[in-house]
Amino acid sequence: MSKARRLRRLLNIWPPFLFSGIRVLEIGEDWRHARVVLRRHWYNTNYVGTHFGGSLFAMTDPYWMILVMECLGRDYIVWDKAAEIEFVAPGKEDVFAEFHVEDTLLDEIRAATAGGDKYLRWLPIEVKTASGDLIARISKQIYVRRKPEKPASPA
């Protein structure tokens, strides 16, 4: 079983996702995309019958960091740094979020961190219904730095 598939299965039984109705539908074998759903159930709606804002945020939480980290490889440190959410419409049905890592993003990060500098980058996510209605806009800021090269060990 591939590492991406194992991670998807693990996230689907991780209690904060499992008990919120969050399911990871797909993580690409090449770590270039992911798709997540937040299913609407009686136990994960608020007082007025819509998705909890925290659940909308949680469904998008780790993916940019994980995907970028896996695409860049072991020579980089990648962390979540900050986040923002804008609620656009009430979520009254299942909602979805999709993540796509493009070559241009990875090239931009590599160029910005080549000298060892840290790089902060905001990445957007839209949470939508199956029919494409926008429910929320979320922006995640990731921190990226190239790991310092280890000195050669004496022979």
Side-chain angles (χ1 to χ4, degrees), residues 46 51-58 85 87:
N46 62 23
H51 284 296
F52 284 111
S55 297
L56 292 167
F57 179 77
I85 187 166
F87 302 106

Side-chain angles (χ1 to χ4, degrees), residues 96-116:
F96 301 83
E98 293 192 43
F99 304 80
H100 298 279
V101 177
E102 304 293 336
D103 287 334
T104 54
L105 172 63
L106 299 175
D107 293 343
E108 177 185 319
I109 291 170
R110 287 183 185 111
T113 59

Side-chain angles (χ1 to χ4, degrees), residues 38-40 49 51 90-96 129-131 133 135:
L38 172 58
R39 303 233 184 259
R40 186 172 174 269
H51 284 296
K92 297 181 178 182
E93 59 189 271
D94 295 353
V95 293
F96 301 83
T129 64
S131 61
D133 296 330
I135 301 302

Side-chain angles (χ1 to χ4, degrees), residues 19 40 44 62 88 117 138:
F19 296 114
R40 186 172 174 269
N44 67 359
V88 177
D117 295 327
I138 299 165

